[in-house]
Amino acid sequence: MSIAQRIQELKQSLPSDVTLVAVSKFHPVEALQAAYDAGQRVFGESRAQELVAKQRQLPADIEWHFIGTLQTNKVKEIVPFISLIHSVDSFRLLQEIEKQAAKVDRVIRVLLEIHVAQEETKHGLTPEACRQLLADEAVTHLPHVRICGLMGMASNTDDEAQVKAEFHQIHALFSELKDGICRSNPDFTWLSMGMSHDYPLAIAEGSNLIRIGTYIFGERVY
Ligand SMILES: *Cc1c(COP(=O)(O)O)cnc(C)c1O
């Protein structure tokens, strides 16, 4: 199947309230252009330099999402155009986004990345650290940052019950925050969960933003 066919097939199969992020990291601009020509407008990248280079070469109406580990010294490169940062996991990073966003007079939408998976290498806040961060008075004084929800990954395992349980845990935290500490924030609406191998489970557990790379573009060559 071609990239265009994959995009079309995915879009037809997704519930209407689920947004597809085409994760294009490590793929050439020609592959992104093929997805664009098939109607895809939301793309996710995980490295600042690669993202900036692609953004310059591709159509201006693309909505770029950052999904990888974001170093504070790279924030200024992406704030001029980024649409959503999925992977914020510290107050320090929020502060840097605030500082750089203020300089270019933008309000940057972000998600807080939650860690529930078993793997130790994964980034993200524990549910308790997330609650504490949101309860911090200082977080409410970042006028150029808008916290729009949560992002999470499940463990990389074939154990479907475990994957389901982890997505369920992230959704439960999302609901708790939405009805609790974030209830006066109308932008707290996005739950980013699910990749090529586990997105149906993620959607079943309440995801409304899925990040699909391999299924659309094929294997990455690192
Ligand atoms: C690479 C990546 C994806 C996409 O993974 P696939 O398995 O290729 O669909 C999704 N989310 C994050 C955070 C990623 O780094």
Side-chain angles (χ1 to χ4, degrees):
M1 253 198 278
S2 67
I3 290 172
Q5 284 167 325
R6 296 278 189 188
I7 295 276
Q8 270 142 21
E9 191 201 89
L10 264 173
K11 291 214 157 155
Q12 274 159 19
S13 72
L14 295 177
S16 59
D17 63 334
V18 174
T19 297
L20 169 65
V21 181
V23 175
S24 47
K25 64 191 187 198
F26 293 94
H27 292 287
V29 288
E30 292 75 22
L32 283 77
Q33 186 69 51
Y36 181 91
D37 292 340
Q40 182 64 22
R41 290 295 179 272
V42 185
F43 290 85
E45 289 280 338
S46 60
R47 296 186 304 178
Q49 242 181 331
E50 182 179 347
L51 169 55
V52 169
K54 286 174 171 172
Q55 190 266 342
R56 288 197 185 119
Q57 295 174 70
L58 286 158
D61 64 340
I62 288 178
E63 197 183 294
W64 294 101
H65 290 200
F66 193 87
I67 62 168
T69 306
L70 184 55
Q71 287 164 328
T72 49
N73 63 350
K74 297 289 162 70
V75 170
K76 64 174 174 301
E77 294 173 26
I78 66 169
V79 287
F81 64 86
I82 202 74
S83 172
L84 181 66
I85 301 173
H86 289 230
S87 44
V88 172
D89 64 0
S90 71
F91 182 63
R92 206 168 91 86
L93 191 51
L94 283 174
Q95 276 181 308
E96 182 63 16
I97 295 168
E98 169 61 32
K99 181 176 151 195
Q100 299 300 336
K103 284 189 196 164
V104 293
D105 196 22
R106 291 192 76 213
V107 176
I108 305 295
R109 300 159 66 235
V110 306
L111 307 180
L112 298 178
E113 182 173 352
I114 305 303
H115 175 100
V116 295
Q118 299 298 324
E119 289 102 351
E120 292 203 350
T121 53
K122 297 249 162 88
H123 294 266
L125 299 156
T126 63
E128 193 42 40
C130 177
R131 289 184 192 102
Q132 279 172 14
L133 181 66
L134 286 167
D136 188 336
E137 246 267 300
V139 171
T140 59
H141 298 297
L142 303 172
H144 298 86
V145 175
R146 190 168 296 156
I147 296 174
C148 295
L150 304 180
M151 184 271 249
M153 279 184 260
S155 297
N156 188 10
T157 168
D158 290 333
D159 184 348
E160 281 202 4
Q162 187 184 340
V163 171
K164 244 175 113 65
E166 289 172 358
F167 284 146
H168 190 84
Q169 199 187 340
I170 301 167
H171 185 211
L173 177 65
F174 175 75
S175 300
E176 172 201 314
L177 299 171
K178 191 173 164 55
D179 298 336
I181 199 159
C182 297
R183 68 186 172 280
S184 57
N185 173 3
D187 300 306
F188 197 87
T189 53
W190 292 104
L191 183 55
S192 169
M193 306 193 297
M195 306 164 45
S196 292
H197 65 283
D198 60 14
Y199 75 88
L201 288 175
I203 292 171
E205 293 300 331
S207 169
N208 59 10
L209 195 56
I210 58 172
R211 311 176 309 271
I212 310 287
T214 309
Y215 183 77
I216 297 170
F217 296 107
E219 295 291 334
R220 286 176 287 275
V221 182
Y222 293 102

